[in-house]
Amino acid sequence: QTRQELAAYLHCSQRQLIRKMQTLYGVSFRQKLITSRMDLACYLLRSTGQSVNEISTAVGYADNAAFFRAFRQHTGITPAQYRREKRGA
């Protein structure tokens, strides 16, 4: 989940990775990582009974408060609100 790990996995330098991410996705590595984490969190909230804290850890956040802030910034609502709205739909 780090830029260094991904670059090593792809057999390229971190600089090359940054350029590729910008070209392919139009965003930075960090922005893509956050979006990917939030997409997974949304899926888990909709489809599992895991607690929000368990999901926070599962998507790579060591600090639950940081997850809550990032989730709310990404979706405009809290994880609990998201779960209620999406499960009711």
Side-chain angles (χ1 to χ4, degrees):
Q1 288 186 347
T2 68
R3 186 175 40 206
Q4 183 178 4
E5 291 169 342
L6 183 57
Y9 178 79
L10 296 173
H11 305 289
C12 67
S13 70
Q14 290 185 49
R15 179 88 173 122
Q16 287 173 310
L17 175 63
I18 291 167
R19 284 195 300 265
K20 287 178 184 182
M21 294 291 292
Q22 190 64 44
T23 300
L24 290 172
Y25 301 108
V27 296
S28 70
F29 173 82
R30 179 135 178 87
Q31 290 168 321
K32 182 64 177 160
L33 177 61
I34 291 169
T35 299
S36 296
R37 286 176 170 178
M38 292 301 112
D39 290 347
L40 178 56
C42 288
Y43 171 77
L44 293 172
L45 286 165
R46 286 190 314 268
S47 63
T48 72
Q50 289 181 303
S51 72
V52 174
N53 290 343
E54 289 172 324
I55 291 171
S56 169
T57 301
V59 299
Y61 283 86
D63 177 20
N64 291 332
F67 170 72
F68 276 77
R69 280 190 305 275
F71 191 90
R72 188 172 188 132
Q73 185 175 20
H74 184 76
T75 64
I77 57 178
T78 68
Q81 289 171 317
Y82 181 88
R83 176 174 268 166
R84 279 193 303 275
E85 288 180 14
K86 298 304 176 179
R87 284 218 169 147

